Amino acid sequence: MAMSRLFVGLVAVCGWGLAHAQGAVQQIEAHQHLGVASCASGVCHGATQPFKDSNVWQNEYSVWSDSDPHARAYRTLLSTESKRIARNLGIPNAATASMCLDCHSDNVPAAQRGEKFLITDGVGCEGCHGGAQEWISSHTNRDVAHADNVSKGMYPTDEPVARAKLCLSCHMGTADRMITHRIMGAGHPRLAFELDTFTWLNPHYEIDEDYVSRKGEFNGARDWAIGQGIAAYNLLDVLTNDKTGSHGIFPELVLFDCHACHRVMSGKRWGPRPGTGLGPGVVRLNDANLVMFRHVLALVDPSAGDRLAGQIRGLHQATTQSRSGTNEAARTLMRSLDTSLQTVAAYNFSEAGLGKILASIQRDADRGEFRDFSAAEQAAMAAQSVVVAFDTAGKLDEAQANRLSGLVDRLYATVEREDDYQMANFTGAMRALTASAR
Ligand code: HEC
Ligand code: HEC
Ligand code: HEC
Ligand code: HEC
């Protein structure tokens, strides 16, 4: 299929090696940011209706300012909620603190801000598409290829590895843009992200014929899979980083499963999770993304998947022994992820194999692996992406599509309220879905 070849080509151009690649934040900040106003004119991206004979809608600014939450990200820092968070943290003003602006605006260094740049615009166009200094004038020419724009500093948001790194820099936090348990403790909402689901929540773009000819094919299952791999890598990267991995005598708690600590004491709800091999009363790393990536490999490269399962268990074990052992186990996993991500990126996610992913998740559910809310939440988002991928590939008739979408809704309902999560309900809903998708 053309898609996978195209994609492999792109990877070769961009260079691989997650550990050594320039980070998303550095790429975004490499050129001057001219400001949202530079994109917003009526003949550029500020139309009120989509243009008929243009490759892109050209009303992206209107969509963004009317309905995209990124447009209000800065304003959020002025809210009562943010004021309370700031007070709890002992900082004078959330709207001037880098600790908040890094994710709630396009917080490039002063030297990289053009005349029309406004920090109050929140997460503007260039916060995702990169500083436009070098490409603003040429990118409007239809004869200029997307790759030429990218070579001038446009960020490749179409490319799933790059997109995952970009979105997760704010939606999970990385060493560059860190969210800590102190910020959570002050009242910040817990962050949860899944690349495919979130890419389609407020789109100002669509995948049509000309999109595919310019940028290659989109595949939701592939994007889900890559998003899991990059998120798992980020967690380990933050964990093994001296600056971000610990706080005083404790490790950075944001990297752990919130419900390992935040649960009622009278619950007597403990039960074994074979995938960790941990006993009762132990704080568990949040391995939700690692576990999901293992389900990806169950389809793409089963023997690598089994190896990963052993390494995940090894990491959990190491956390009960020593800091240095933990770092070593984490680095082993990072190397495996690095290699496997290349296999996954080049894999042709045809509809036939997708049932295997659901079946793999199901096997875990039957073994009691979904005790942890965050893993169950990721599994629900995974199931949705997989079902949508079945549907987009034209593999489902209308009745099947409706039935499966009802079952996905039922699965979602079991993870809707974090504090009332019951594993048995989740497992039951997962079983119904897998049986129906077969
Ligand atoms: C510079 C940081 C930043 C980047 C990069 C970023 N986001 Fe966000 N995103 C935010 C913030 C902050 C919010 C919350 C805005 C608010 O309500 O104040 C948000 C909100 C969202 C929401 C709404 C979530 C909800 O619960 O309704 C979606 C969807 C989303 N982002 C998707 C993405 C995707 C997809 C990408 C990558 C293409 C991305 N974001 C990149 C910072 C970022
Ligand atoms: C690592 C990036 C990151 C950092 C740092 C960060 N935020 Fe956020 N924040 C987000 C994202 C992403 C969301 C949206 C979560 C979602 O809906 O999925 C969010 C949501 C919020 C919300 C809830 C918004 C709503 O619409 O309900 C508030 C309030 C908030 N942030 C305030 C702050 C404050 C104050 C700080 C600094 C102390 C801060 N944030 C630091 C990424 C970040
Ligand atoms: C949160 C990140 C984010 C922000 C903010 C953002 N975009 Fe995008 N944009 C994306 C993603 C993801 C895509 C889809 C992948 C792709 O084609 O690159 C996209 C695609 C596009 C496209 C290409 C559509 C196509 O068919 O090729 C245009 C044009 C665009 N955005 C313009 C804008 C403008 C103008 C703004 C500011 C008003 C903006 N974007 C803000 C993430 C973002
Ligand atoms: C190792 C145990 C541990 C883990 C893991 C943990 N926390 Fe906490 N959390 C605590 C402790 C201890 C406090 C402080 C309680 C206090 O101040 O009295 C706290 C406080 C909080 C508070 C403030 C509660 C309040 O009453 O104001 C929030 C919110 C919070 N944590 C969210 C989270 C989230 C979200 C996660 C997962 C990303 C998480 N925690 C993971 C131990 C943990």
Side-chain angles (χ1 to χ4, degrees):
M1 198 173 158
M3 180 268 300
S4 49
R5 253 187 292 119
L6 239 174
F7 182 66
V8 172
L10 259 177
V11 167
V13 172
C14 304
W16 199 280
L18 279 173
H20 309 291
Q22 195 190 26
V25 177
Q26 288 74 33
Q27 280 183 59
I28 290 287
E29 294 186 350
H31 301 280
Q32 202 171 66
H33 288 216
L34 306 178
V36 172
S38 313
C39 318
S41 122
V43 294
C44 298
H45 297 290
T48 48
Q49 296 292 321
F51 275 24
K52 282 220 171 54
D53 18 74
S54 164
N55 281 338
V56 305
W57 291 356
Q58 298 201 214
N59 66 341
E60 293 84 2
Y61 168 76
S62 319
V63 174
W64 173 84
S65 66
D66 293 348
S67 60
D68 191 316
H70 297 105
R72 60 160 193 263
Y74 174 84
R75 263 175 282 144
T76 292
L77 298 181
L78 305 171
S79 70
T80 320
E81 208 184 336
S82 288
K83 287 189 177 126
R84 188 171 57 88
I85 296 175
R87 204 167 48 242
N88 289 346
L89 288 168
I91 55 174
N93 183 356
T96 54
S98 286
M99 189 200 281
C100 308
L101 289 170
D102 280 352
C103 297
H104 282 264
S105 73
D106 185 12
N107 197 23
V108 284
Q112 295 294 61
R113 299 180 182 185
E115 270 172 37
K116 293 183 183 165
F117 178 93
L118 289 173
I119 194 80
T120 51
D121 278 336
V123 182
C125 317
E126 291 160 293
C128 286
H129 291 294
Q133 186 182 17
E134 302 287 332
W135 53 261
I136 185 105
S137 49
S138 56
H139 84 292
T140 52
N141 182 341
R142 276 190 191 211
D143 298 331
V144 171
H146 179 55
D148 288 341
N149 296 323
V150 170
S151 73
K152 295 197 177 108
M154 184 183 279
Y155 192 84
T157 39
D158 54 313
E159 198 272 297
V161 170
R163 177 157 29 97
K165 288 188 189 176
L166 169 71
C167 310
L168 286 165
S169 70
C170 295
H171 281 272
M172 173 176 187
T174 54
D176 295 312
R177 290 173 172 160
M178 189 56 191
I179 190 114
T180 59
H181 183 258
R182 262 94 54 224
I183 300 180
M184 298 280 172
H188 196 280
R190 189 179 60 89
L191 298 181
F193 185 81
E194 191 275 291
L195 184 62
D196 185 46
T197 310
F198 274 60
T199 296
W200 294 104
L201 281 180
N202 310 93
H204 51 271
Y205 38 82
E206 66 184 333
I207 309 305
D208 49 13
E209 243 171 72
D210 82 72
Y211 184 99
V212 173
S213 72
R214 288 178 290 119
K215 296 178 167 176
E217 257 171 85
F218 236 81
N219 182 309
R222 173 200 64 187
D223 290 3
W224 162 70
I226 287 174
Q228 294 302 324
I230 301 286
Y233 191 93
N234 276 354
L235 180 99
L236 301 171
D237 191 46
V238 172
L239 176 70
T240 51
N241 182 313
D242 286 342
K243 283 209 191 79
T244 52
S246 53
H247 180 68
I249 64 167
F250 292 104
E252 172 48 62
L253 300 185
V254 86
L255 307 174
F256 289 78
D257 178 40
C258 314
H259 298 282
C261 295
H262 293 283
R263 59 196 292 173
V264 280
M265 241 193 268
S266 59
K268 301 211 167 56
R269 280 203 282 178
W270 188 83
R273 253 194 68 197
T276 67
L278 296 173
V282 178
V283 188
R284 297 174 299 278
L285 274 173
N286 177 358
D287 64 357
N289 301 117
L290 277 163
V291 167
M292 285 300 131
F293 196 66
R294 177 161 66 66
H295 295 305
V296 172
L297 292 181
L299 169 67
V300 175
D301 187 352
S303 62
D306 290 341
R307 234 177 2 258
L308 197 77
Q311 291 170 348
I312 296 172
R313 210 166 183 278
L315 175 67
H316 283 297
Q317 297 294 311
T319 60
T320 65
Q321 286 150 17
S322 69
R323 180 84 219 178
S324 61
T326 301
N327 283 349
E328 204 178 304
R331 291 203 184 93
T332 305
L333 262 169
M334 287 162 89
R335 281 191 295 276
S336 298
L337 290 174
D338 226 343
T339 312
S340 289
L341 265 159
Q342 299 183 50
T343 320
V344 168
Y347 186 77
N348 176 2
F349 280 85
S350 72
E351 52 296 337
L354 296 175
K356 282 196 189 163
I357 293 178
L358 282 181
S360 177
I361 296 176
Q362 181 60 51
R363 276 194 298 280
D364 264 15
D366 288 338
R367 279 206 313 244
E369 289 288 352
F370 290 102
R371 288 186 192 284
D372 297 341
F373 170 81
S374 48
E377 181 185 54
Q378 282 297 330
M381 292 197 268
Q384 165 163 296
S385 294
V386 168
V387 167
V388 171
F390 265 90
D391 196 19
T392 317
K395 275 279 146 181
L396 306 177
D397 60 41
E398 207 181 312
Q400 267 177 318
N402 287 337
R403 198 180 61 241
L404 289 179
S405 115
L407 288 167
V408 167
D409 289 347
R410 189 180 142 197
L411 189 67
Y412 259 99
T414 69
V415 294
E416 202 175 9
R417 283 177 313 277
E418 192 173 352
D419 294 334
D420 306 338
Y421 173 67
Q422 299 284 343
M423 180 171 70
N425 295 346
F426 172 83
T427 308
M430 189 67 214
R431 196 172 293 138
L433 175 68
T434 315
S436 195
R438 229 170 247 137

